[in-house]
Amino acid sequence: MEIRQIRYFLAVQETGSFTKAAEKMYVTQPALSTAIKALEEELGVELLIRKPKRITLTPAGLRFRDRAFAILAECNAAKRDLMDTGAQRQLRIGVLDTLNTPPVNGLLHDFHTTYPDVLIHLQCGSKDDLAHRLGQDKVDLIITSLSGEEESSTMLPLYQERFVLVVNSQHPLATRSSVHLADLHEQPFVLRKNCEVLNEGKRVFLTEQAQPHLTCRTDEDGWALSMVQSNLAAAIMGETVEAPGIVKVPIVDFGLIRTVGCLWRAHSDPQAVQPFTDFAGQKNWSMAG
């Protein structure tokens, strides 16, 4: 078994395609396919279900994926340990795209102020993107929304927040102390495609028979906020979001919340992760949500 075979296997499971995986790993598709086939023969099991549209994992492949992540993480940790001798301490943090908010930004600022000797490398992405980067040891920990299914020993909840209606200060609903979903019926609205509760939110809207007029679909929260600030549409976002000219209004019958927290791997370097998680765990989050 070779490290390159493990990297090729993980690239295929991430992209769902031999072609895309080969492009990602900068090798030819036949070379990648041959390497993975040799890995399967060595292990004595098929790891991949080869379908025309998307490659998926067999039950054995699912089991091997966790081992592969751990093996790759250990190799990267060993390499990093040798390279970091005498160098400045570094911490690679992945942050969910939708968490460009005062609580998270404040945490990063306060940690940097308290530990100025630690060089922080930030990466942003969707929940799935960050999970893949964490599994492949491209980040040491991630700050994301928690589903409740995470391993408790490698997870630290930080705070919870509601989802609220975000409108321009001149919007007709801006002066309301609260709204119902029915109040959004046929109102111009921004659909945030990267929202963690998107599918559940759609179900709630259907239950309440409220159909906003979707004027924009975007996976960029910055663009959604620009639409709100220009009074072109309303949006539903986490209550800790802040921006000039916006008003946040509670939604009586939406009821969805998100738990924000840290995730790391069982094989993460404790010298890198623990100072940050200890610091985050001691922070007063009462203002967050």
Side-chain angles (χ1 to χ4, degrees), residues 63-89:
R63 293 197 303 273
F64 182 72
R65 179 183 59 183
D66 295 335
R67 294 282 187 178
F69 279 142
I71 292 169
L72 193 58
E74 283 296 318
C75 291
N76 290 337
K79 181 179 178 181
R80 188 170 62 252
D81 185 54
L82 293 174
M83 294 178 63
D84 287 348
T85 303
Q88 183 179 12
R89 287 194 296 164

Side-chain angles (χ1 to χ4, degrees), residues 141-280:
L141 64 83
I142 60 177
I143 304 175
T144 185
S145 63
L146 304 178
S147 65
E149 301 176 355
E150 295 85 2
E151 181 68 36
S152 60
S153 62
T154 56
M155 175 264 294
L156 173 67
L158 298 177
Y159 65 90
Q160 288 187 324
E161 65 175 334
R162 300 170 298 170
F163 285 90
V164 296
L165 178 68
V166 181
V167 294
N168 181 276
S169 58
Q170 302 302 313
H171 192 279
L173 298 176
T175 58
R176 300 275 292 272
S177 59
S178 64
V179 295
H180 290 79
L181 290 176
D183 296 322
L184 305 182
H185 187 66
E186 296 187 350
Q187 287 280 347
F189 192 80
V190 177
L191 179 67
R192 298 168 51 248
K193 294 189 292 184
N194 60 358
C195 179
E196 305 93 303
V197 295
L198 178 60
N199 291 333
E200 184 67 11
K202 288 181 177 179
R203 185 192 65 77
V204 175
F205 267 100
L206 288 173
T207 300
E208 298 299 324
Q209 297 184 337
Q211 295 183 344
H213 175 56
L214 298 181
T215 60
C216 176
R217 292 176 173 84
T218 179
D219 54 11
E220 295 288 341
D221 275 11
W223 183 248
L225 277 173
S226 294
M227 294 284 288
V228 173
Q229 290 174 299
S230 300
N231 204 16
L232 296 174
I236 291 179
M237 307 181 77
E239 65 181 322
T240 55
V241 67
E242 294 287 351
I246 70 166
V247 173
K248 295 176 287 187
V249 185
I251 309 172
V252 173
D253 47 357
F254 195 60
L256 300 180
I257 62 172
R258 68 175 173 183
T259 300
V260 176
C262 298
L263 282 177
W264 58 97
R265 303 180 314 277
H267 301 278
S268 292
D269 180 5
Q271 292 184 344
V273 171
Q274 189 167 349
F276 185 86
T277 54
D278 286 349
F279 184 85

Side-chain angles (χ1 to χ4, degrees), residues 48-69:
L48 304 174
I49 300 174
R50 294 158 171 83
K51 295 181 179 180
K53 290 187 177 181
R54 183 172 179 85
I55 307 299
T56 58
L57 299 183
T58 64
L62 289 170
R63 293 197 303 273
F64 182 72
R65 179 183 59 183
D66 295 335
R67 294 282 187 178
F69 279 142

